Amino acid sequence: MTSLPMTSLNGKKIIVVGGSSGIGFGVAAAALESGAEVVIAGRSADKLKAAEKRLGGAGRVTGVAADMANEADVSRLFEQAGSFDHLVATAGTPPPNYPIGETDMDFVRGFVDGKLIGAVMLAKHAVRTLNTGGSMIFTSGINKDRPPVPGGSVVSAVAGSFTYFARALALELAPTRVNIVSPGWVDTEMWDEIVGEAKASYFEQMGGRIPAGRIARPADIAPAYLYLMQNEFMTGETVHIDGGQRLV
């Protein structure tokens, strides 16, 4: 039986946008364990420095402060990183949750700029230094499948758009591969900002409902990104890793 074409990450350079915390930090840690060199990018220089120390990596971790809503910063990120093999984008901000009749359009524009337009800018500048045989992996989420009501229309539209973005980009950039990871709820720092002290009760309630029986940790989600980097026959796809949350 022929095995799947899985490539090693040993010695590969991976850029993780949003790598100072949450899912991105989990991906960076898993990539380091697999022998990769990692560049983590985010807005906060202090958080990046702290993440570098936590990751260790024997000199295989570099932090680059950059705002993904600023094209000059995005361009500089790839100039500083140099040639690389895989791009992972996990960065995000708390989504708008207004009922449609109360929508704050400035907040919405900021969210779209940071998430969707940011992904477009990353792809635009990544192609200049992405090595042949490499890949791009973006992150959507459960809100496209289970939109919160009220207030889920904007985040659902943005999350859902990533599937079609990847499909079109996979054709345009072939043989460079482009894929999406779509996680469910994950216990990250962002939830502290969204619900604060109510996080524990939120997670207990949802964890009891989903088939997996608990809320994911970043370490549960990171292997999906590594799989997409290593499998040379996966492109234009959305990988759902949500513990069955879409089913309930």
Side-chain angles (χ1 to χ4, degrees):
M1 181 176 178
T2 303
S3 61
L4 289 172
M6 302 290 282
T7 61
S8 171
L9 294 181
N10 190 48
K12 300 293 186 181
K13 184 187 289 185
I14 300 167
I15 299 176
V16 183
V17 177
S20 64
S21 64
I23 294 173
F25 184 89
V27 173
L32 285 169
E33 290 180 6
S34 297
E37 175 186 350
V38 178
V39 177
I40 56 174
R43 288 188 296 268
S44 170
D46 289 341
K47 288 183 178 179
L48 289 167
K49 289 179 181 178
E52 287 182 57
K53 290 180 180 179
R54 289 170 59 205
L55 287 167
R60 291 183 289 121
V61 183
T62 303
V64 177
D67 183 350
M68 294 307 109
N70 183 308
E71 187 166 9
D73 278 13
V74 172
S75 177
R76 178 175 51 79
L77 164 64
F78 291 104
E79 288 175 3
Q80 288 186 226
S83 61
F84 70 101
D85 300 286
H86 302 283
L87 169 68
V88 172
T90 66
T93 57
N97 60 358
Y98 309 96
I100 194 65
E102 301 171 15
T103 301
D104 182 328
M105 295 309 302
D106 289 336
F107 193 102
V108 168
R109 289 187 182 97
F111 177 72
V112 173
D113 280 351
K115 190 69 176 172
L116 180 58
I117 303 304
V120 174
M121 287 197 293
L122 285 171
K124 172 184 175 179
H125 292 277
V127 294
R128 300 172 183 175
T129 51
L130 179 59
N131 292 328
T132 301
S135 73
M136 301 182 191
I137 307 170
F138 298 95
T139 306
S140 63
I142 192 70
N143 284 323
K144 69 185 186 312
D145 306 296
R146 304 289 293 175
V149 178
S153 56
V154 173
V155 66
S156 298
V158 172
S161 69
F162 276 88
T163 291
Y164 299 99
F165 177 60
R167 291 174 64 178
L169 206 56
L171 291 173
E172 179 179 345
L173 299 182
T176 292
R177 297 176 296 106
V178 184
N179 291 291
I180 306 297
V181 172
S182 179
W185 288 13
V186 183
D187 189 355
T188 66
E189 296 87 338
M190 185 182 295
W191 278 98
D192 296 322
E193 186 175 344
I194 294 173
V195 296
E197 295 180 358
K199 184 175 80 168
S201 61
Y202 265 67
F203 282 4
E204 182 179 2
Q205 180 183 18
M206 179 55 73
R209 291 176 54 197
I210 66 176
R214 63 174 175 83
I215 297 300
R217 300 176 295 264
D220 296 312
I221 309 302
Y225 292 86
L226 268 62
Y227 171 76
L228 291 174
M229 294 181 219
Q230 293 177 285
N231 190 322
E232 296 179 335
F233 214 65
M234 284 286 285
T235 192
E237 295 293 340
T238 296
V239 174
H240 295 90
I241 181 165
D242 56 24
Q245 189 173 348
R246 287 177 301 144
L247 306 177
V248 298

